[in-house]
Amino acid sequence: MKKRHIDVWDNCLSVIKDNVHSQSYKTWFEPIKPIKLENNVLTIQVPSQFFYEWLEEHYISLLKKTVKKELGVEGRLEYSIIMDNYDAGTPYAIKFPTSNKKDTKNPLVSMPLDLNKGTSKDIPNPFIIPGLKKIKVESQLVESYSFDNFVEGDCNRLARSAGYAVAENPGKTAFNPLLIFSGTGLGKTHLAHAIGLQVKNNYPDKTVLYIQTEQFISQFIQSARNNNQNDFVHFYQMIDVLIIDDIQFLASKDKTQDVFFHIFNHLHQNNKQLIITSDKPPVELKGLEPRLLSRFKWGLSADLQVPDLETRIAILKRKLYNDGIEIPQEVIEYLAYNITTNVREMEGALISLVAQSSLNKKAITIDLARQMIDKFVKNTTREISIDYIQKVVCDFFGLPVEQINTKTRKREIVQARQLAMYFSKKHTKSSLATIGLHCGNKDHATVLHACKTVSNLIETDKQFEGYVNEINKKIQH
Ligand code: ADP
Ligand code: MG
């Protein structure tokens, strides 16, 4: 029979109430909140470290009796301590990591309490909890970023299998640290989480922590401000598997690099696993100390490449399957064909497509996909317009851009206008007529003439050629 934690705790309280002074009851028991009851372990939340120690000192036997009465001899009690108003001096006052955005739960640290303390050690007692006072750390892992959901392809085979090997034997393979690098949106964060999740599966007792480098930096700054850097370092030094994402953000943060260096060394010496991701290969990580970079080379650096078409299709299908959505194969292929460089963007397009179709009650068709992609692709590759070209040309010569559209025949304006026409022909898909219309209301023959003139000048005038090249660079920037 499963008892609910609130009922169990209420029953305990009614016994306790009869056994302590009413003032004590108010002070020490009313503030306690039951949190959960799992596997015969009742977890109660207490407001502070001091509170926990007081209970342990003064009420341990009473608590033990009542919990046993409720849960039987197998029953146990665990404390979860809210660390909000902690005092920097106390041994458990370690507040890292701060809760992440998705999950603002407060009990950052919880620790099992040995209810056996102070009782005879001869009698085997179910209250002895293995891993006494080991601090539980919120791993900050995202369940959906699992190995199952990480589609394998040529693009990621090495990194994926190295990651898998690490998860089977954290700290014991040659891949320590494991450094995963790639351009943005290609799966570094996903793979890093997958390794962490798999370690937790294989070794539930290992302390795994995923942390973004930016979070790490701000924690460190905070700890310096509060004068408890030692707590910060100690916290990280007790992690078994440390995953630190986007290490490139450590560039030029000398003090944080220094502290990371010490944490790294400590963990590595103790055969703890480090997993690091970066948006560049180690050699290109500018602003990182050489001693740190050389440590990264101790293990394995593995990159993630852009997935090929087949893998992109498989990734989309996996995502649809997870979300329980069906869309026609041809639409999936269309997306995978057209969004080639970035998995995140491809997933973004898919999500928008599904959202669009459900909002407007339209079927998901190739046409809808096409409209969507047009928007996406336009957003990602900036389109060069005639207006933009005119602006770049006029800025280059220090002319006001309106002059191009006047009838003036001043030599420098005429030349700017001709250049604008020439570049518009080169960089836009507009017809000669359209270009003429936008450049001083001229006809297509004028545009053609302008293009020829510019081409001739490029061949005969070195200085002019230099100008054209410079403007061209600016336009394509
Ligand atoms: P990065 O950290 O390299 O910028 P992410 O790990 O955030 O990239 O990946 C971006 C998105 O693409 C995530 O939603 C992730 O799940 C997905 N993704 C990337 N690679 C794969 C893959 N091989 N299989 C499945 N999903 C992937
Ligand atoms: Mg990432």
Side-chain angles (χ1 to χ4, degrees), residues 165-229:
V166 161
E168 295 298 301
N169 278 305
K172 301 225 170 64
T173 66
F175 313 144
N176 199 15
L178 175 63
L179 188 113
I180 305 164
F181 66 95
S182 79
T184 180
L186 293 179
K188 297 181 293 292
T189 298
H190 186 145
L191 182 56
H193 278 269
I195 300 167
L197 290 167
Q198 187 74 4
V199 170
K200 288 247 78 153
N201 263 341
N202 293 340
Y203 305 93
D205 289 338
K206 285 213 189 292
T207 306
V208 178
L209 179 68
Y210 167 88
I211 192 96
Q212 284 157 4
T213 300
E214 288 157 304
Q215 256 183 315
F216 182 86
I217 294 168
S218 71
Q219 284 176 0
F220 173 66
I221 292 171
Q222 196 64 41
S223 77
R225 212 171 273 153
N226 298 340
N227 217 5
N228 61 351
Q229 283 117 310

Side-chain angles (χ1 to χ4, degrees), residues 233-248:
V233 172
H234 288 148
F235 173 80
Y236 277 94
Q237 287 183 342
M238 64 165 206
I239 306 291
D240 295 317
V241 177
L242 179 63
I243 303 167
I244 180 151
D245 201 1
D246 287 321
I247 199 80
Q248 72 273 6

Side-chain angles (χ1 to χ4, degrees), residues 76-95:
R76 294 174 186 173
L77 187 65
E78 278 192 17
Y79 283 44
S80 167
I81 302 174
I82 300 177
M83 287 294 185
D84 259 354
N85 316 312
Y86 76 105
D87 152 16
T90 58
Y92 302 109
I94 299 171
K95 210 186 166 191

Side-chain angles (χ1 to χ4, degrees), residues 145 149-151 156 185-190 315 343-344 347:
Y145 282 166
N149 287 338
F150 192 76
V151 174
N156 60 33
L186 293 179
K188 297 181 293 292
T189 298
H190 186 145
I315 291 173
V343 179
R344 185 182 297 123
E347 286 188 349

Side-chain angles (χ1 to χ4, degrees), residues 278-327:
S278 158
D279 71 350
K280 295 178 197 70
V283 284
E284 285 171 28
L285 273 169
K286 299 258 151 54
L288 248 61
E289 288 179 41
R291 58 176 185 165
L292 207 49
L293 288 177
S294 74
R295 297 247 177 328
F296 293 171
K297 289 180 199 139
W298 285 356
L300 176 78
S301 303
D303 66 335
L304 300 172
Q305 299 279 337
V306 174
D308 57 18
L309 179 66
E310 211 174 61
T311 311
R312 293 202 297 279
I313 292 175
I315 291 173
L316 286 174
K317 284 192 168 166
R318 179 84 221 171
K319 177 125 189 76
L320 288 162
Y321 174 83
N322 283 345
D323 295 348
I325 300 167
E326 273 181 34
I327 74 173

Side-chain angles (χ1 to χ4, degrees), residues 2-20:
K2 219 176 166 182
K3 287 190 188 172
R4 287 187 48 241
H5 55 284
I6 296 172
D7 296 337
V8 168
W9 183 239
D10 274 344
N11 293 343
C12 292
L13 284 181
S14 66
V15 177
I16 291 166
K17 207 171 189 170
D18 290 334
N19 285 284
V20 299

